Amino acid sequence: MNMIKVIFFDMGNTLLHFHYGKTDNEKDMEGLIHVTQYLNKLDENITLYEVKNEFYNTWMEGIKDRKITYKEYPIEEFLNKFLHKYKINLTKEQCIEIINLFYTEYREQVYFEEDIYKTLDKLKSKGYKIGIISNTCYYDEVMIECFKKVKIYNLIDSFTFSYSLRVGKPNKSIFIEALNKMNIAPEESVMVGDSLEKDIKPALDIGMNAILYNSKNHIEYIDNKPYKEINKISQLLNIL
């Protein structure tokens, strides 16, 4: 891996872990309360029941195939369709603000390795640039706020999210987009992620290097294992 210039990380379940603390259902309900409070500033007749059933449930149903098709859907279409009966049409900026409020508890309770800043900072001091390649059904801006929350935003050189591209991993186009942003060849990069299907295989297929983040030691292996493996992010310092 002597040619490596850029280390790309997956986000969820690799650098940041969002399913800690309260249950996802509890976080969602608290988020929907925040959304309702915001919308009540525009029309006090909007209820939490409506926000949950006419917006949130419709949104979740509308994007349920994203894990099969790897496509992403514009949130503002779901929000504004719900709000049409109130004659409210939100701007994209307002929609981002609303979803940022919805994601409050996930952001506040995010878990990360204790020495994550120190590890990334040491990698940067070695001359590596750091990028993110991640799937998300939320606005890029909402996810970037999570990196600011854990105070590693300033260490990231490039963010490539499926939401704004409307296509996610394992589609190779998201990896190619990330490489183009950094103006590097595939062999000058390494992908670090927790999924063989979505991170490791597609990265290897286009010529990138790959490191499997196998924190729970339960992932099946690719034949001949053409990649390295870690179970803590800090172990990258022994490889790169």
Side-chain angles (χ1 to χ4, degrees):
M1 295 191 180
N2 295 332
M3 295 177 61
I4 301 299
K5 295 180 180 178
V6 180
I7 306 167
F8 289 108
F9 289 93
D10 176 39
M11 177 178 60
N13 301 320
T14 300
L15 272 189
L16 305 181
H17 303 265
F18 294 102
H19 306 294
Y20 275 76
K22 296 178 182 178
T23 67
D24 287 359
N25 285 338
E26 289 174 320
K27 293 173 188 174
D28 288 347
M29 279 308 302
E30 291 189 35
L32 291 172
I33 291 170
H34 291 312
V35 172
T36 304
Q37 291 171 340
Y38 181 100
L39 294 176
N40 282 158
K41 296 175 184 178
L42 305 177
D43 192 313
E44 62 183 13
N45 294 311
I46 298 173
T47 67
L48 175 61
Y49 178 86
E50 289 176 308
V51 172
K52 181 178 186 296
N53 291 284
E54 297 180 30
F55 161 58
Y56 177 75
N57 288 347
T58 301
W59 174 32
M60 291 297 105
E61 179 67 20
I63 68 172
K64 68 180 182 181
D65 69 345
R66 61 181 291 271
K67 292 186 178 181
I68 300 172
T69 64
Y70 308 112
K71 294 180 180 179
E72 305 293 358
Y73 299 88
I75 302 170
E76 56 268 23
E77 290 186 6
F78 294 97
L79 268 171
N80 282 323
K81 184 176 181 180
F82 158 60
L83 293 169
H84 180 72
K85 66 179 179 179
Y86 290 101
K87 298 181 180 180
I88 295 173
N89 189 64
L90 300 171
T91 65
K92 184 177 179 181
E93 288 70 26
Q94 287 176 305
C95 292
I96 292 171
E97 187 175 357
I98 286 171
I99 299 305
N100 204 35
L101 287 169
F102 170 76
Y103 211 66
T104 297
E105 293 305 315
Y106 286 95
R107 184 172 56 253
E108 291 301 314
Q109 298 181 48
V110 66
Y111 168 80
F112 50 95
E113 291 183 16
E114 184 178 357
D115 53 359
I116 191 69
Y117 186 95
K118 182 179 179 181
T119 298
L120 297 181
D121 191 45
K122 283 187 176 180
L123 290 171
K124 295 279 286 187
S125 69
K126 289 186 173 186
Y128 297 111
K129 290 187 176 181
I130 295 174
I132 302 297
I133 305 176
S134 184
N135 289 354
T136 178
C137 64
Y138 305 105
Y139 292 108
D140 295 16
E141 291 87 348
V142 172
M143 305 321 301
I144 286 172
E145 287 300 315
C146 296
F147 286 86
K148 293 179 179 179
K149 168 66 180 177
V150 302
K151 296 180 172 56
I152 60 172
Y153 171 77
N154 64 310
L155 297 175
I156 310 299
D157 297 285
S158 175
F159 293 93
T160 305
F161 292 116
S162 63
Y163 182 84
S164 55
L165 289 179
R166 295 289 186 262
V167 63
K169 301 178 296 184
N171 192 303
K172 295 178 179 62
S173 63
I174 190 171
F175 294 91
I176 293 170
E177 174 69 16
L179 292 170
N180 289 340
K181 280 185 180 181
M182 301 303 287
N183 194 30
I184 57 169
E187 60 270 19
E188 295 176 310
S189 68
V190 59
M191 179 68 199
V192 181
D194 68 306
S195 171
L196 283 177
E197 177 191 359
K198 296 178 182 178
D199 298 314
I200 306 305
K201 288 181 179 178
L204 292 171
D205 284 346
I206 66 170
M208 298 172 69
N209 297 280
I211 298 175
L212 177 67
Y213 176 70
N214 190 4
S215 61
K216 297 180 181 179
N217 296 306
H218 70 285
I219 299 175
E220 296 180 1
Y221 296 105
I222 299 175
D223 290 342
N224 300 322
K225 198 178 176 183
Y227 55 88
K228 295 184 182 296
E229 184 176 333
I230 58 173
N231 52 48
K232 286 188 66 177
I233 298 299
S234 59
Q235 291 172 351
L236 287 172
L237 295 172
N238 300 323
I239 298 174
L240 300 170

